[in-house]
């Protein structure tokens, strides 16, 4: 577990690492590059590089953290990877259930397994479920996500590599948008995030603009830090409103 620089969360928890590519958004996976670097310098847990690996010794880590923390779960993998067993998922979600002081943000590109897993299970109230929607080709993930009853349902439209078109955001509480970073990053047309922001505003959904990435709003390639995160002249850091009543978390 570690503090992270990811703008929309506070820390990461990786009970599994490694993944396999499934759609276009995976092409320049940052986690793959990072895993191979960690393998090269001998970091424990990364002996297999980016091969999917479950790490049971990490399952109970959040129990040791008393301070309420927002965790991005499996930032170095996909929790619903094909090789992740339901038995291990049960253990991981049991830890989340037993640490109600924390919030857990889970993103997946494997929406069918997400739905299947929760067909006979309840989502803990402190768990936020999201899917990645990098272009219009994978918008079906949104419809599948809506069938799962979670306190917060969110979309990570990052890396935004194509226009996502019209979005029906009913049942969605939060949208994160960002351009791709890295030497091989694909440009993000400024019109794409602007249209998403407008739709979020019209439909009452919290909007978070993470970054332009390697390609700036002006179409020039430079460091993601230099390109910044201003959209339409301002920063967008909206988050879903969470209300706690009688120990139960509800979306407000």
């Amino acid at each position: 577990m570690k503090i992270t620089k990811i703008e929309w969360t506070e820390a990461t928890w990786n009970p599994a690492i490694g993944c396999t590519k499934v759609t276009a958004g995976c092409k320049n996976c940052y986690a793959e590059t990072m895993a191979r670097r960690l393998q090269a310098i001998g970091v424990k847990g990364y002996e297999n590089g980016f091969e999917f690996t479950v790490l049971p010794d990490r399952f109970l880590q959040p129990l040791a953290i008393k301070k309420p923390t927002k965790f991005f779960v499996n930032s170095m993998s996909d929790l619903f990877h094909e090789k992740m067993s339901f038995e291990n998922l049960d253990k991981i979600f049991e830890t989340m259930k037993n640490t109600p002081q924390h919030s857990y943000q889970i993103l997946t590109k494997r929406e069918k397994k997400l739905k299947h897993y929760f067909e006979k299970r309840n989502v803990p109230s402190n768990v936020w479920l999201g899917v990645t929607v990098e272009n219009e080709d994978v918008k079906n993930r949104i419809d599948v996500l809506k069938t799962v009853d979670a306190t917060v349902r969110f979309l990570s439209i990052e890396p935004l590599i194509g226009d996502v078109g019209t979005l029906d955001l009913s049942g969605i509480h939060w949208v994160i948008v960002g351009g791709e970073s890295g030497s091989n990053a694909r440009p993000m047309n400024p019109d794409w995030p602007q249209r998403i922001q407008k739709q979020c505003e019209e439909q009452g959904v919290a909007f978070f603009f993470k970054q332009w990435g390697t390609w700036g709003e002006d179409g020039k390639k430079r460091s993601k830090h230099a390109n910044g995160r201003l959209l339409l002249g301002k920063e967008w850091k909206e988050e879903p409103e969470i209300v706690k009543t009688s120990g139960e978390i509800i979306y407000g």
Side-chain angles (χ1 to χ4, degrees), residues 14-243:
N14 284 284
I17 58 174
C19 203
T20 46
K21 293 178 170 61
V22 289
T23 52
C26 303
K27 182 179 179 181
N28 300 317
C29 179
Y30 76 90
E32 180 178 19
T33 301
M34 180 61 69
R36 301 205 185 284
R37 288 176 183 169
L38 296 174
Q39 179 187 32
I41 61 176
V43 175
K44 183 180 178 182
Y46 290 89
E47 293 83 359
N48 298 323
F50 201 55
E51 180 181 340
F52 183 78
T53 305
V54 178
L55 302 170
D57 61 323
R58 298 185 179 184
F59 284 5
L60 301 179
Q61 285 181 333
L63 295 173
I65 309 297
K66 303 305 179 185
K67 178 184 177 182
T69 303
K70 192 183 299 177
F71 287 106
F72 176 21
V73 182
N74 261 23
S75 63
M76 296 294 291
S77 181
D78 188 322
L79 193 65
F80 293 94
H81 190 275
E82 294 81 0
K83 293 184 178 179
M84 175 67 84
S85 70
F86 278 17
E87 179 183 5
N88 280 328
L89 282 174
D90 285 342
K91 294 176 182 177
I92 292 167
F93 277 99
E94 185 67 17
T95 292
M96 299 185 208
K97 183 178 179 181
N98 290 335
T99 50
Q101 72 272 27
H102 302 319
S103 295
Y104 296 93
Q105 301 162 310
I106 301 170
L107 269 176
T108 185
K109 292 185 178 74
R110 292 159 171 86
E111 71 286 348
K112 293 180 180 178
K113 184 167 182 175
L114 168 74
K115 178 180 179 180
H116 182 39
Y117 178 74
F118 284 114
E119 283 175 346
K120 297 182 179 179
R121 297 169 176 82
N122 294 323
V123 183
S125 61
N126 58 336
V127 170
W128 304 14
L129 294 180
V131 292
T132 301
V133 183
E134 65 264 31
N135 57 28
E136 196 163 21
D137 294 342
V138 293
K139 282 191 348 183
N140 62 294
R141 290 175 180 158
I142 302 174
D143 294 328
V144 176
L145 176 64
K146 290 179 182 180
T147 68
V148 183
D149 186 15
T151 300
V152 173
R153 301 183 198 90
F154 69 105
L155 309 180
S156 174
I157 307 183
E158 183 191 14
L160 178 54
I161 57 173
D163 190 0
V164 296
T166 301
L167 296 170
D168 176 4
L169 299 173
S170 57
I172 301 300
H173 307 114
W174 194 30
V175 173
I176 303 165
V177 174
E180 192 167 41
S181 59
S183 58
N184 297 316
R186 292 158 284 187
M188 178 173 64
N189 186 315
D191 291 341
W192 302 341
Q194 289 176 19
R195 281 198 285 267
I196 296 170
Q197 185 280 322
K198 183 178 180 181
Q199 292 183 77
C200 286
E201 186 172 20
E202 292 173 345
Q203 298 181 53
V205 176
F207 177 78
F208 192 107
F209 186 67
K210 181 184 171 188
Q211 63 178 24
W212 281 99
T214 297
W215 295 90
E217 185 177 12
D218 57 4
K220 294 183 178 180
K221 193 174 185 179
R222 55 176 78 86
S223 76
K224 67 177 183 180
H225 300 292
N227 283 325
R229 48 178 311 209
L230 296 181
L231 178 68
L232 299 170
K234 61 176 286 187
E235 287 192 355
W236 301 85
K237 295 182 178 182
E238 298 172 357
E239 293 192 5
E241 181 183 357
I242 302 299
V243 181

